[in-house]
Short mmCIF file of all heavy atoms in Angstrom, two decimals:
data_model
loop_
_atom_site.label_atom_id
_atom_site.label_comp_id
_atom_site.label_asym_id
_atom_site.label_seq_id
_atom_site.Cartn_x
_atom_site.Cartn_y
_atom_site.Cartn_z
N ILE A 180 -5.01 -17.32 11.73
CA ILE A 180 -3.97 -17.13 10.79
C ILE A 180 -3.02 -18.35 10.87
O ILE A 180 -2.52 -18.95 9.78
CB ILE A 180 -3.27 -15.83 11.04
CG1 ILE A 180 -4.29 -14.60 10.60
CG2 ILE A 180 -1.91 -15.70 10.15
CD1 ILE A 180 -3.67 -13.23 10.95
N GLU A 181 -2.58 -18.64 12.05
CA GLU A 181 -1.61 -19.84 12.19
C GLU A 181 -2.24 -21.12 11.74
O GLU A 181 -1.56 -21.91 11.17
CB GLU A 181 -1.29 -19.84 13.76
CG GLU A 181 -0.39 -21.04 14.06
CD GLU A 181 1.09 -20.85 13.53
OE1 GLU A 181 1.38 -19.78 13.05
OE2 GLU A 181 1.81 -21.88 13.51
N ILE A 182 -3.53 -21.37 12.09
CA ILE A 182 -4.16 -22.53 11.61
C ILE A 182 -4.01 -22.71 10.06
O ILE A 182 -3.79 -23.68 9.54
CB ILE A 182 -5.56 -22.73 12.07
CG1 ILE A 182 -5.58 -22.68 13.69
CG2 ILE A 182 -6.36 -24.00 11.50
CD1 ILE A 182 -7.01 -22.51 14.38
N ASN A 183 -4.46 -21.66 9.53
CA ASN A 183 -4.51 -21.60 8.00
C ASN A 183 -3.14 -21.89 7.34
O ASN A 183 -2.89 -22.59 6.51
CB ASN A 183 -4.96 -20.16 7.51
CG ASN A 183 -5.20 -20.12 6.02
OD1 ASN A 183 -5.91 -21.02 5.42
ND2 ASN A 183 -4.35 -19.46 5.30
N LYS A 184 -2.19 -21.28 8.04
CA LYS A 184 -0.72 -21.33 7.49
C LYS A 184 -0.25 -22.87 7.74
O LYS A 184 0.30 -23.36 6.84
CB LYS A 184 0.16 -20.37 8.49
CG LYS A 184 1.58 -20.43 8.11
CD LYS A 184 2.39 -19.39 8.90
CE LYS A 184 3.54 -20.29 9.60
NZ LYS A 184 4.12 -19.44 10.58
N ARG A 185 -0.53 -23.37 8.81
CA ARG A 185 -0.05 -24.77 9.14
C ARG A 185 -0.79 -25.79 8.19
O ARG A 185 -0.18 -26.88 7.69
CB ARG A 185 -0.24 -25.14 10.61
CG ARG A 185 0.68 -24.40 11.56
CD ARG A 185 2.06 -24.96 11.38
NE ARG A 185 3.06 -23.96 12.14
CZ ARG A 185 4.31 -24.35 12.00
NH1 ARG A 185 4.74 -25.31 11.31
NH2 ARG A 185 5.09 -23.41 12.56
N ALA A 186 -2.07 -25.49 7.98
CA ALA A 186 -2.79 -26.38 7.01
C ALA A 186 -2.28 -26.36 5.72
O ALA A 186 -2.11 -27.34 4.97
CB ALA A 186 -4.20 -25.99 7.07
N GLU A 187 -1.74 -25.23 5.24
CA GLU A 187 -1.23 -25.03 3.87
C GLU A 187 0.18 -25.68 3.95
O GLU A 187 0.48 -26.36 2.97
CB GLU A 187 -1.03 -23.49 3.60
CG GLU A 187 -0.37 -23.26 2.22
CD GLU A 187 -0.53 -21.89 1.74
OE1 GLU A 187 -0.90 -20.95 2.62
OE2 GLU A 187 -0.14 -21.65 0.58
N LEU A 188 0.92 -25.52 4.96
CA LEU A 188 2.25 -26.22 4.98
C LEU A 188 2.18 -27.72 4.95
O LEU A 188 3.13 -28.39 4.27
CB LEU A 188 3.05 -25.83 6.34
CG LEU A 188 3.70 -24.46 6.39
CD1 LEU A 188 4.14 -24.14 7.76
CD2 LEU A 188 4.73 -24.44 5.39
N VAL A 189 1.12 -28.40 5.40
CA VAL A 189 1.10 -29.67 5.32
C VAL A 189 0.25 -30.26 4.05
O VAL A 189 -0.15 -31.35 3.98
CB VAL A 189 0.45 -30.47 6.64
CG1 VAL A 189 1.50 -30.25 7.78
CG2 VAL A 189 -0.93 -30.01 7.00
N ASN A 190 -0.02 -29.15 3.25
CA ASN A 190 -0.77 -29.46 2.03
C ASN A 190 -2.15 -30.10 2.26
O ASN A 190 -2.53 -31.15 1.51
CB ASN A 190 0.14 -30.46 0.99
CG ASN A 190 1.07 -29.45 0.35
OD1 ASN A 190 0.67 -28.45 -0.14
ND2 ASN A 190 2.29 -29.98 0.39
N ARG A 191 -2.82 -29.64 3.14
CA ARG A 191 -4.25 -30.32 3.44
C ARG A 191 -5.03 -30.41 2.16
O ARG A 191 -5.20 -29.36 1.50
CB ARG A 191 -4.94 -29.60 4.52
CG ARG A 191 -4.14 -29.97 5.89
CD ARG A 191 -4.99 -30.13 7.05
NE ARG A 191 -6.38 -30.40 6.94
CZ ARG A 191 -7.05 -30.87 7.99
NH1 ARG A 191 -6.54 -31.30 9.11
NH2 ARG A 191 -8.38 -31.18 7.96
N THR A 192 -5.68 -31.54 1.84
CA THR A 192 -6.60 -31.56 0.68
C THR A 192 -7.99 -31.02 1.14
O THR A 192 -8.81 -30.53 0.43
CB THR A 192 -6.63 -32.96 0.14
OG1 THR A 192 -6.83 -33.79 1.05
CG2 THR A 192 -5.41 -33.25 -0.65
N VAL A 193 -8.21 -31.31 2.50
CA VAL A 193 -9.48 -30.86 3.07
C VAL A 193 -9.12 -29.73 4.09
O VAL A 193 -8.21 -29.82 4.88
CB VAL A 193 -10.16 -31.96 3.83
CG1 VAL A 193 -11.61 -31.67 4.26
CG2 VAL A 193 -10.13 -33.25 3.17
N PRO A 194 -9.97 -28.62 3.98
CA PRO A 194 -9.66 -27.53 4.96
C PRO A 194 -9.86 -28.04 6.43
O PRO A 194 -10.61 -28.92 6.53
CB PRO A 194 -10.72 -26.47 4.53
CG PRO A 194 -11.27 -26.96 3.45
CD PRO A 194 -11.10 -28.42 3.11
N ILE A 195 -9.27 -27.31 7.33
CA ILE A 195 -9.53 -27.47 8.65
C ILE A 195 -10.86 -26.64 9.12
O ILE A 195 -10.89 -25.59 8.76
CB ILE A 195 -8.43 -27.03 9.56
CG1 ILE A 195 -7.13 -27.84 9.27
CG2 ILE A 195 -8.80 -27.12 11.15
CD1 ILE A 195 -5.85 -27.41 10.08
N ASN A 196 -11.82 -27.41 9.57
CA ASN A 196 -12.99 -26.76 10.08
C ASN A 196 -12.71 -26.06 11.32
O ASN A 196 -12.05 -26.50 12.26
CB ASN A 196 -14.05 -27.80 10.34
CG ASN A 196 -14.53 -28.59 9.06
OD1 ASN A 196 -14.65 -28.02 8.08
ND2 ASN A 196 -14.75 -29.91 9.39
#
Side-chain angles (χ1 to χ4, degrees):
I180 290 170
E181 177 68 12
I182 295 168
N183 185 65
K184 181 180 132 194
R185 290 288 166 184
E187 180 167 11
L188 278 172
V189 294
N190 280 313
R191 288 214 20 156
T192 48
V193 192
I195 297 179
N196 297 318

